[in-house]
Every structure is written in C-alpha cells, then in structure tokens.
Amino acid sequence: MSGDHHGSSAISEQVRHVEALLEARGLVDEGELDRRIDEFLAGGSPANGARIAARAWVDPAFRDRLLADANAAIRELGLSMSGGLQEQRLKVVANTADEHNVVVCTLCSCYPIALLGPSPSWYKSEAYRSRVVRDPRGVLEEFGLELPPTTRISVWDASAESRYMVVPRRPEGTDGLSEEELAGLVTRKGLIGTAAV
Amino acid sequence: MSRINDVGGMVGFPAIVEEPDEPTFHADWEAHVLALNAALIRRGVYNLDEFRDAIERMEPATYLASSYYEKWFTAITTLLVEKGVATPEELAVPRDASGA
C-alpha cells in the first residue's frame, strides 16, 4: 500500500486522529476495526459470481430459477446477499445473442459487494457512471468490447436496495469443459458487463 | 433538484481509467475509514441512508475533487458533528500534532 493518492499522508493523520477520539469516547475499539477489515477482505469474491454463471450455463433449469429469483437461486450454491449491513435484492440478467447487459450505479457505487467483493475503482468513478448510460456502446468499446450493431444493450442502474449481476454468454468451443473449468473463464468485468466473459 | 452525485448522463467527464491488478485499498487509512463507518452504523450513531445522504449533499466542487474514501471520511465527520458526538474543533488534527 503506497501513498500515491493525493494528500494521502494528511488524510491518514486525520483518520487516525478521529479514530483515536472515538476510541477515547468508547464508540469504537481498535480490535473491532481490525476485525471489520479482516471480515471485509475475507468476504465476497468474483469467484462466487463465476460459480453462479457456470452453473447457469450447464443447468438450464437453474438458469430459469436464477433469472426469476436470484436471491433464492444463489442459496442453492450456499451463497447469499445478506453478508453486508443489510440484505439486498439481487437481480441477475443474462446476455444473449440479441441482448447485452451492463450494470452501473449512477448515484454512487451500489454493487453486490457481499457476493462479489469490492467493486473496481472505475465502477465508482464519475466518468463511468455518467457516460455508460448515455453512450453504453462507446463505453464498452473503450473496454475493448465491440458488439454487433444489431445487439441491443440494456443498462441496469443499481440502487440502495437492489443490485444486479450479469451472466455472460458461454464462449463457443467450451462443450468439453467441466463446470469448475467454465467458472474459471468468468471475470469480474464479465459479471458487470464490461467484458464478454 | 438533483444533487452532484446524480451524474448519470452528464457530459464532460474524462475517459474511464482502469487500474490493472488494483488493490482493494490503496492505503491503510481507506480500510480504517470503511471499518469506522461500519462500526458507527452498527452502533447506531447514524444509519446507512444518513451516511449516503451525507455524501450526496457534499459541496459539489469538494465532491468532484475527492477520492472515493475521502468522500466517505467527509460524510463520517459531517455526521459526527451533526449527531453531537464531536465538535469540528475536536475532529481537526491539532496544529502541533507531532509534539503531542
């Protein structure tokens, strides 16, 4: 961890000062903060989303249940959306030959953190949030994803109570792969919709 | 009327920058801000909606100039003052912090 962000040492000192003040007033304790950081780092991971996508690829009935009620369907894999401060509704959308989906939170940074872990910085940037709803095709091209002009693009705007995840299209030539191997093909960007898989 | 966080469709923002192999936190203080916020919400000092609101009503120029976790820290200190937990003077780092 380096101090490459602007003003990093000044804010680091401010945070330490506020933390010490709150500890002195009995509102937080150092052990609790360390525990929360460890919990957060050990929490969600894109691997969870990859498992869900791979299961949807190999099991059409699971795919149907997932698209109908994702919160219930992911429990079949031992996953849930209740790991954070509050349980959130999850809606899963699946890419097809005709339609591509991409997720954003225009107002802030809503993302299925409990399931997928922290979002990348670009997802939280004003640049992505402002532009992907106005020019999704152009933004996807900047990510290296060129879709046929006939492919419709749906942009899903997350909110405080409702989160989204994309199931990418299963790549061609993967018939012989196991479910685990298929999961290994899925990336975090694929689950957000800024990559094909 | 919309607030500065409501950027969907707004023009004028620069290209999207991707950071390869991005770490979860770019500095220890970011992790501490995240944990501090979770602890204060669990303790009932304020709730999640109040926290979001405190970010979204930031002064627009400050909002745009702040990194993600800088916004969080601004919201935390705003709420600590408004909830009567601490005064702005108490939250400010003493001038002579090194000699404490």
Side-chain angles (χ1 to χ4, degrees):
Chain A
M1 298 195 185
S2 68
D4 58 341
H5 276 202
H6 174 72
S8 190
S9 73
I11 191 161
S12 171
E13 196 180 343
Q14 283 174 338
V15 172
R16 269 201 310 275
H17 173 73
V18 169
E19 201 176 303
L21 183 81
L22 294 173
E23 278 170 22
R25 302 206 168 161
L27 280 168
V28 296
D29 68 75
E30 201 185 333
E32 179 190 5
L33 295 187
D34 287 341
R35 249 188 346 268
R36 296 226 177 279
I37 294 169
D38 290 343
E39 276 169 17
F40 183 74
L41 292 173
S45 150
N48 292 332
R51 273 180 65 208
I52 295 168
R55 176 63 59 87
W57 286 344
V58 301
D59 183 345
F62 174 78
R63 182 181 187 276
D64 291 344
R65 292 195 294 279
L66 181 68
L67 301 186
D69 182 352
N71 290 73
I74 66 173
R75 277 185 223 120
E76 297 176 31
L77 302 180
L79 299 169
S80 100
M81 286 292 289
S82 58
L85 286 163
Q86 60 185 34
E87 165 143 26
Q88 291 130 355
R89 192 177 79 95
L90 178 68
K91 180 172 174 60
V92 173
V93 289
N95 293 340
T96 65
D98 303 321
E99 183 179 24
H100 182 87
N101 297 281
V102 60
V103 180
V104 64
C105 172
T106 59
L107 292 176
C108 48
S109 56
C110 296
Y111 183 82
I113 288 189
L115 187 66
L116 302 182
S119 61
S121 280
W122 59 259
Y123 182 85
K124 301 180 274 202
S125 70
E126 282 87 26
Y128 179 72
R129 288 157 47 202
S130 63
R131 295 181 51 219
V132 76
V133 288
R134 176 179 286 272
D135 178 23
R137 203 171 292 272
V139 165
L140 294 181
E141 280 173 14
E142 283 176 36
F143 277 97
L145 179 58
E146 290 202 27
L147 296 168
T150 50
T151 302
R152 197 170 67 244
I153 301 174
S154 296
V155 182
W156 300 87
D157 195 354
S159 71
E161 289 83 25
S162 203
R163 309 294 158 101
Y164 297 93
M165 191 189 91
V166 176
V167 172
R169 290 176 69 196
R170 180 173 175 163
E172 309 221 340
T174 58
D175 287 355
L177 296 189
S178 69
E179 190 176 329
E180 200 181 338
E181 288 168 329
L182 288 169
L185 303 176
V186 181
T187 68
R188 180 167 68 177
K189 278 162 68 183
L191 299 167
I192 298 173
T194 53
V197 187
Chain B
M1 198 178 114
S2 63
R3 304 197 278 192
I4 185 59
N5 67 296
D6 190 3
V7 298
M10 208 181 273
V11 294
F13 285 106
I16 297 153
V17 179
E18 270 190 272
E19 188 183 336
D21 301 318
E22 182 182 358
T24 300
F25 298 110
H26 292 81
D28 279 338
W29 69 263
E30 295 189 346
H32 281 251
V33 164
L34 177 124
L36 206 50
N37 185 50
L40 292 167
I41 289 175
R42 290 209 192 259
R43 196 154 293 230
V45 175
Y46 51 81
N47 66 40
L48 192 53
D49 289 329
E50 289 175 309
F51 172 66
R52 288 200 183 95
D53 175 66
I55 291 179
E56 294 171 7
R57 61 189 158 91
M58 280 175 69
E59 192 271 315
T62 310
Y63 178 96
L64 293 174
S66 299
S67 73
Y68 186 67
Y69 285 109
E70 282 172 351
K71 292 187 184 91
W72 280 41
F73 188 60
T74 298
I76 290 169
T77 52
T78 298
L79 287 167
L80 288 175
V81 171
E82 291 177 358
K83 297 290 181 179
V85 174
T87 65
E89 293 72 29
E90 289 170 327
L91 292 174
V93 177
R95 279 271 176 78
D96 189 22
S98 57

